[in-house]
């Protein structure tokens, strides 16, 4: 037996022990899930996870291996959380569109073991999470090329019972999809989501191809596939092409090579910890009021990474504001800032707590 085979046999023996220990650990996870259910506790316990990570770091003698072991422990805890969600009936995650949509791709990256719940609109995603029919929702928030998804921000404003608990950046590659064997000269019309059309505007103008906006990219691909019409094409991902039996005729037609869509995860459970937090606020329509808010944020030592304004629903020419700040909202400085803003703003509330 050579040296390589000996090492592989040792790995196999350790893996067998780890498998048995994994099952033992997951049986304990079942007990934890039952206790949390009986006492109304959230699945995610950041304080406990910090303790677990500290203990894990202390157990590793070789400093070079410590960061790799901590990654392993983090993944183990994420698997345990997903299993708890399944046991407690909190594993349903809503998204807008159909299988293959970018929101569905992001959902699968974030929650690979979840039951994906398809919704026809973003409004229904929020409604399902609000009603408890889904534990979380995954929706697009902004794109590095096309900008904000304003309708989603408006839904955040209209649903004060929901929190942004996570953000996820998905690199987006838009491709021209056609029925197999279709040449570019046969394409007469293109279908996709409005944002995908905007991201591919340069290519579409060069080809002089008219477009029709649809609810999302996957629905457009499904429509083209079911039409059987070679003159129709869709703009969507490679994953979507494979799902609906289409062919990538022209890859990467989006103008921005670094095209990324940021998705947010919404939930009724308030997050406990993060290195970013976001606020929604309104101010009186008086000179200097918005500047006063910005000054207080800066004076408190917080870096404001983003600020946006949107028209208030049903109030003509009045606006609400969204701001994202760097910092831990659990710190005393954050709580002091919120008290200051409460005195300065007409209304203010925390929208999200997350890490990025």
């Amino acid at each position: 037996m050579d040296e390589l085979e000996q090492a592989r046999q040792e790995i196999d023996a350790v893996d067998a022990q780890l498998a048995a220990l994994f099952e033992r650990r997951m049986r304990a996870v079942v007990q934890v899930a039952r206790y949390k259910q009986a006492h109304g506790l959230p699945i995610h316990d950041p304080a406990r996870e910090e303790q677990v990570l500290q203990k894990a770091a202390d157990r590793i003698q070789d400093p070079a291996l410590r960061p790799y072991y901590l990654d392993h422990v983090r993944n183990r805890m994420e698997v345990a959380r997903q299993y708890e969600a399944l046991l407690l009936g909190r594993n349903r995650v809503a998204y807008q569109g159909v299988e293959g949509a970018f929101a569905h791709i992001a959902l699968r990256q974030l929650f690979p073991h979840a039951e994906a719940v398809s919704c026809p609109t973003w409004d229904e995603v929020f409604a399902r999470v609000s009603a408890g029919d889904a534990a979380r929702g995954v929706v697009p928030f902004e794109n590095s090329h096309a900008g904000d998804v304003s309708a989603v921000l408006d839904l955040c404003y209209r649903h004060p019972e929901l929190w942004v608990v996570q953000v996820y950046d998905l690199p987006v590659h838009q491709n021209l999809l056609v029925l197999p064997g279709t040449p570019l000269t046969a394409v007469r019309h293109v279908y996709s989501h409005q944002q995908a059309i905007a991201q591919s505007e340069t290519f579409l103008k060069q080809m002089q191809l008219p477009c029709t906006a649809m609810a999302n990219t996957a629905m457009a691909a499904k429509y083209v596939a079911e039409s059987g019409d070679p003159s129709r094409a869709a703009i969507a991902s490679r994953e979507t092409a494979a799902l609906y039996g289409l062919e990538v005729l022209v890859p990467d037609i989006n103008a921005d090579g670094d095209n990324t869509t940021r998705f947010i995860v919404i939930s009724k459970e308030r997050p406990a910890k993060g290195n970013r937090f976001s606020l929604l606020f309104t101010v009186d329509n008086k000179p200097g009021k918005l500047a006063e808010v910005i000054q207080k944020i800066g004076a408190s030592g917080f870096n404001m990474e983003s600020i946006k304004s949107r028209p208030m629903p049903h109030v003509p020419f009045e606006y609400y504001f969204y701001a994202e700040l760097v910092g831990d909202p659990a710190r005393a400085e954050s709580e002091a800032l919120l008290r200051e803003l409460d005195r300065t703003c007409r209304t203010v509330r925390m929208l999200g707590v997350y890490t990025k």
Side-chain angles (χ1 to χ4, degrees):
M1 184 184 301
D2 61 23
E3 185 178 346
L4 176 62
E5 187 59 29
Q6 285 182 336
R8 285 175 171 170
Q9 285 195 3
E10 174 66 10
I11 290 173
D12 287 344
V14 172
D15 284 346
Q17 295 176 49
L18 288 174
L21 290 171
F22 174 77
E23 289 188 319
R24 178 181 168 187
R25 190 179 196 279
M26 295 305 274
R27 286 194 292 270
V29 167
V30 172
Q31 294 177 309
V32 170
R34 288 172 179 166
Y35 183 91
K36 288 179 178 178
Q37 185 174 41
H39 293 81
L41 298 175
I43 291 174
H44 192 199
D45 186 346
R48 165 62 180 165
E49 292 192 357
E50 284 297 324
Q51 293 174 358
V52 171
L53 288 171
Q54 186 56 58
K55 289 178 183 178
D58 294 341
R59 290 180 181 129
I60 296 298
Q61 303 302 311
D62 186 345
L65 295 178
R66 192 167 293 127
Y68 298 97
Y69 183 65
L70 290 177
D71 283 345
H72 169 69
V73 173
R74 289 188 186 97
N75 180 67
R76 202 169 62 197
M77 290 191 293
E78 174 61 29
V79 169
R81 285 200 300 271
Q82 293 184 34
Y83 189 48
E84 283 186 48
L86 174 64
L87 294 171
L88 299 178
R90 302 181 200 171
N91 65 321
R92 288 166 58 84
V93 182
Y95 71 101
Q96 186 270 332
V98 295
E99 188 177 0
F102 284 111
H104 182 264
I105 294 170
L107 185 156
R108 282 291 167 227
Q109 292 292 324
L110 288 162
F111 309 106
H113 303 292
E115 177 188 345
V117 179
S118 171
C119 300
T121 64
W122 292 322
D123 192 46
E124 185 170 331
V125 173
F126 276 75
R128 289 208 175 210
V129 177
S130 180
D133 185 48
R136 293 178 177 84
V138 176
V139 289
F141 192 67
E142 59 183 324
N143 177 267
S144 59
H145 175 80
D148 301 335
V149 184
S150 300
V152 169
L153 183 55
D154 288 345
L155 284 165
C156 290
Y157 183 79
R158 295 204 300 267
H159 284 270
E161 75 282 6
L162 300 181
W163 296 84
V164 175
V165 300
Q166 197 170 350
V167 297
Y168 176 71
D169 292 347
L170 178 71
V172 173
H173 299 278
Q174 305 289 9
N175 308 278
L176 190 69
L177 312 185
V178 295
L179 295 172
T182 301
L184 185 57
T185 53
V187 176
R188 294 289 179 267
H189 204 96
V190 176
Y191 301 83
S192 194
H193 186 269
Q194 185 58 50
Q195 291 241 349
I197 293 171
Q199 293 160 14
S200 310
E201 183 179 15
T202 301
F203 171 83
L204 294 170
K205 283 184 176 179
Q206 288 175 347
M207 296 294 104
Q208 297 182 330
L209 289 170
C211 302
T212 297
M214 300 191 73
N216 60 59
T217 55
M219 285 184 177
K222 183 179 180 182
Y223 171 75
V224 169
E226 292 177 349
S227 74
D229 185 347
S231 71
R232 295 173 178 172
I235 300 173
S237 67
R238 286 184 177 274
E239 293 91 339
T240 306
L243 187 63
Y244 294 106
L246 297 177
E247 185 177 279
V248 176
L249 181 60
V250 185
D252 297 325
I253 64 172
N254 43 289
D256 187 351
D258 297 322
N259 187 13
T260 300
T261 295
R262 173 162 293 166
F263 287 85
I264 58 173
V265 179
I266 56 172
S267 172
K268 291 179 75 172
E269 290 187 7
R270 175 175 176 162
K273 191 173 182 181
N275 62 14
R276 300 288 193 284
F277 62 99
S278 54
L279 304 172
L280 292 174
F281 64 92
T282 61
V283 294
D284 292 331
N285 191 10
K286 296 178 181 178
K289 292 302 290 186
L290 178 59
E292 185 180 351
V293 172
I294 295 173
Q295 190 275 332
K296 286 184 182 296
I297 291 172
S300 298
F302 290 94
N303 178 33
M304 184 169 61
E305 287 191 328
S306 173
I307 185 168
K308 307 170 185 179
S309 66
R310 287 287 300 154
M312 290 180 62
H314 314 300
V315 186
F317 308 111
E318 291 281 339
Y319 299 85
Y320 72 87
F321 298 88
Y322 165 91
E324 182 180 78
L325 311 184
V326 179
D328 182 356
R331 291 172 53 203
E333 296 88 340
S334 304
E335 295 177 358
L337 172 63
L338 289 173
R339 287 194 297 270
E340 280 291 312
L341 294 181
D342 194 47
R343 288 190 286 267
T344 305
C345 300
R346 185 191 302 164
T347 63
V348 60
R349 71 176 173 91
M350 193 177 293
L351 169 63
V353 178
Y354 40 85
T355 296
K356 71 174 186 181

